């Protein structure tokens, strides 16, 4: 049986819906989880959907994915721009990785332009809001078939 796809979410994404809605929209993380799981079902994929405000916990989940996941979709949030620990954990993961950002960090502050996770991701989806997660599931379905 195919392992589930891990969908990991970084710090402050638990506040979606009320956090800077002019940037991130009104959908909550629970809304996004529902959309992701519905789309995954159409591909016959199972999803493990998690969020953490703690860098080490995300590193632990990426390590866990080495044996328990078929691929990882991640919105690392602010850790995209700072975390060598998450970058290194992904370097040790031989599975497809897709990075998603709700906003388009390239149009925002300069400090958001550096993104360590994009260096290890197979693909990156930015600026499309929650639909970006759903598109990532479609892409992941193709990648895990191979
Ligand atoms: C984000 C973009 C990051 O720069 C920011 O720190 C976030 C959310 C996004 O989804 O647009 O927390 O990852």
């Amino acid at each position: 049986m195919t392992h589930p796809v891990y969908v990991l979410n970084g710090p402050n994404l638990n506040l979606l819906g009320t956090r800077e809605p002019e940037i991130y929209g009104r959908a909550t993380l629970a809304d996004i989880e529902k959309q992701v799981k519905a789309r995954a079902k159409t591909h016959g994929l199972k999803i493990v959907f998690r969020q953490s405000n703690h860098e080490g916990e995300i590193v632990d989940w990426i390590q866990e994915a080495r044996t328990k996941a078929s691929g990882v979709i991640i919105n690392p949030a602010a850790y995209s721009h700072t975390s060598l620990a998450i970058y290194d954990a992904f370097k040790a993961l031989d599975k497809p990785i897709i990075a998603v950002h709700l906003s388009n960090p390239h149009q925002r502050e300069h400090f958001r332009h550096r993104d360590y996770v994009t260096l290890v991701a197979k693909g990156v989806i930015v600026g499309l809001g929650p639909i970006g997660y759903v598109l990532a599931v479609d892409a992941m379905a193709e990648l895990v078939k191979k």
Side-chain angles (χ1 to χ4, degrees):
M1 219 194 81
T2 327
H3 286 307
V5 172
Y6 279 20
V7 180
L8 304 181
N9 294 278
N12 301 304
L13 293 173
N14 54 314
L15 300 180
L16 285 178
T18 53
R19 171 195 182 200
E20 298 183 272
E22 65 290 354
I23 297 177
Y24 299 116
R26 294 266 172 212
T28 65
L29 197 59
D31 295 334
I32 293 174
E33 178 175 1
K34 239 187 253 165
Q35 289 183 46
V36 160
K37 287 187 170 164
R39 187 59 144 250
K41 207 168 169 190
T42 69
H43 293 293
L45 288 178
K46 289 252 176 297
I47 296 290
V48 169
F49 195 98
R50 295 178 183 161
Q51 186 275 333
S52 179
N53 293 328
H54 304 279
E55 187 175 12
E57 189 166 33
I58 296 169
V59 169
D60 287 343
W61 291 341
I62 295 166
Q63 290 187 10
E64 185 186 296
R66 287 159 57 94
T67 55
K68 300 220 167 96
S70 55
V72 176
I73 295 169
I74 186 163
N75 182 347
Y79 288 143
S80 320
H81 318 301
T82 62
S83 180
L84 286 176
I86 288 175
Y87 169 81
D88 281 346
F90 274 129
K91 291 278 276 186
L93 177 71
D94 189 19
K95 305 274 165 82
I97 301 156
I98 300 176
V100 175
H101 292 285
L102 295 156
S103 67
N104 180 349
H106 307 290
Q107 292 174 339
R108 300 180 62 195
E109 302 96 323
H110 197 253
F111 56 80
R112 295 185 203 276
H113 297 181
R114 181 176 65 187
D115 188 330
Y116 293 111
V117 176
T118 58
L119 301 176
V120 285
K122 171 90 178 156
V124 182
I125 300 172
V126 303
L128 300 178
I131 190 78
Y133 281 76
V134 175
L135 295 173
V137 170
D138 288 344
M140 186 58 81
E142 288 299 315
L143 293 173
V144 300
K145 257 194 244 156
K146 286 187 186 155

